[in-house]
Amino acid sequence: MKIIQITDTHLVPRGLTLYGLDPAARLELVVEDVMARHADADLLAITGDLCNDGEPGAYALLRDILSPLPMPVRLMLGNHDDRLNFRQAFPEQPVDAGGFVQSVLDTAYGRLLFLDTHHPKTLGGRYCAARRGWLESALAEAGDTPVTVFLHHPPLSCGLAHFRNIGLHDAEAVLAPLRAHRGGVRHILFGHIHVALSGTSAEGFAYSSGQSSAHRFAAELDDPTPFWVEDHPCYRIVMLDENGLRAYAREVGQRELVRAGDCEGP
């Protein structure tokens, strides 16, 4: 199974810029690249901060940019989003009984879980009792099947000073049910931090983040002040098969130097 992960698109209405960049133009480049190289993907998932200020116009723009994609799309919310405006723009996106934007997808390689960690006017994420109840039920239904988790806010420490207090504030609401799942957790994929990161927690959870398709965060471990940088728009190709899970970073717009067939060695 091939899954495209895009994260932190931070769209603003057409014609506006953010940190001197045009998030819409950058996302359009990503979508064009996905269409050219990975139109056979089984799913495209965007892990939150879809829009920078959650305006209806920005969600309408997002819908327009994503419209050419031939594969199913799952969208998640981040701290910059607005749940009501999002649901009005994307009524076909699945929600749980409480109206939270979270859902499951069963595949040949386990159950995929898409979680909603958005809490209004909060930079970090929250996962309330109602959402935890949904997660516990989704895991119970999965039985002995392993799960792969997608969400915006990292439920584990990313080690970056700027994000130390703005991750998932009540991470145990997510981690405790996952810890108890008898089928195991294959991987946790998130956004929010705008940098590429992979790791394993002390208790054995494997996790990773994608790079933003918009502005990037410089990976300054000890500096609490955000330092945004411009680089190529980025997305990830996530492969799920009998060998497990692998994620590959793809940067759009890199200049090709030489093809492997024209040189010796890797």
Side-chain angles (χ1 to χ4, degrees):
M1 183 177 187
K2 180 192 288 187
I3 304 168
I4 302 300
Q5 182 197 7
I6 304 173
T7 196
D8 294 271
T9 49
H10 283 269
L11 288 192
V12 292
R14 179 74 77 180
L16 301 181
T17 60
L18 186 64
Y19 302 110
L21 304 176
D22 183 343
R26 293 171 69 85
L27 180 58
E28 286 169 336
L29 289 174
V30 166
V31 168
E32 288 172 7
D33 200 73
V34 169
M35 293 281 289
R37 297 173 180 269
H38 301 290
D40 63 338
D42 300 288
L43 179 72
L44 183 142
I46 305 185
T47 45
D49 278 0
L50 308 171
C51 300
N52 195 65
D53 297 301
E55 314 101 313
Y59 286 120
L61 177 58
L62 176 63
R63 188 175 188 91
D64 181 60
I65 293 173
L66 298 180
S67 63
L69 291 168
M71 73 285 294
V73 173
R74 291 287 172 108
L75 304 175
M76 280 144 279
L77 301 186
N79 45 286
H80 282 266
D81 287 303
D82 181 285
R83 191 177 288 112
L84 178 60
N85 289 342
F86 168 80
R87 291 193 60 190
Q88 290 175 340
F90 292 93
E92 76 286 357
Q93 285 289 309
V95 298
D96 68 13
F100 295 107
V101 185
Q102 45 186 23
S103 59
V104 306
L105 180 63
D106 290 317
T107 78
Y109 305 103
R111 170 166 276 198
L112 309 184
L113 299 170
F114 306 93
L115 307 188
D116 182 343
T117 59
H118 167 78
H119 189 76
K121 299 180 181 179
T122 305
L123 289 178
R126 295 283 185 191
Y127 206 70
C128 62
R131 280 176 275 189
R132 176 173 178 163
W134 175 89
L135 176 58
E136 290 172 343
S137 295
L139 291 169
E141 292 170 0
D144 293 325
T145 302
V147 298
T148 301
V149 184
F150 295 79
L151 73 172
H152 180 70
H153 294 91
L156 301 147
S157 173
C158 66
L160 297 168
H162 175 64
F163 296 93
R164 189 169 295 141
N165 299 313
I166 58 171
L168 185 57
H169 294 307
D170 45 5
E172 271 299 296
V174 169
L175 294 177
L178 294 179
R179 197 180 294 122
H181 178 52
R182 66 178 186 267
V185 178
R186 178 164 279 135
H187 205 85
I188 300 172
L189 302 95
F190 51 84
H192 192 50
I193 64 174
H194 290 236
V195 301
L197 168 72
S198 61
T200 306
S201 72
E203 58 187 324
F205 286 122
Y207 59 87
S208 63
S209 67
Q211 291 169 297
S212 169
S213 67
H215 49 287
R216 303 268 195 93
F217 180 73
E220 296 288 345
L221 301 186
D222 302 316
D223 188 350
T225 304
F227 184 53
W228 303 115
V229 296
E230 178 181 5
D231 213 325
H232 298 291
C234 190
Y235 65 93
R236 295 204 298 177
I237 306 103
V238 179
M239 298 300 300
L240 269 173
D241 56 29
E242 63 277 3
N243 296 307
L245 181 146
R246 299 172 304 285
Y248 306 88
R250 166 78 181 159
E251 296 196 29
V252 182
Q254 291 179 313
R255 186 167 63 91
E256 185 179 285
L257 296 179
V258 64
R259 290 194 175 271
D262 299 328
C263 61
E264 296 182 2

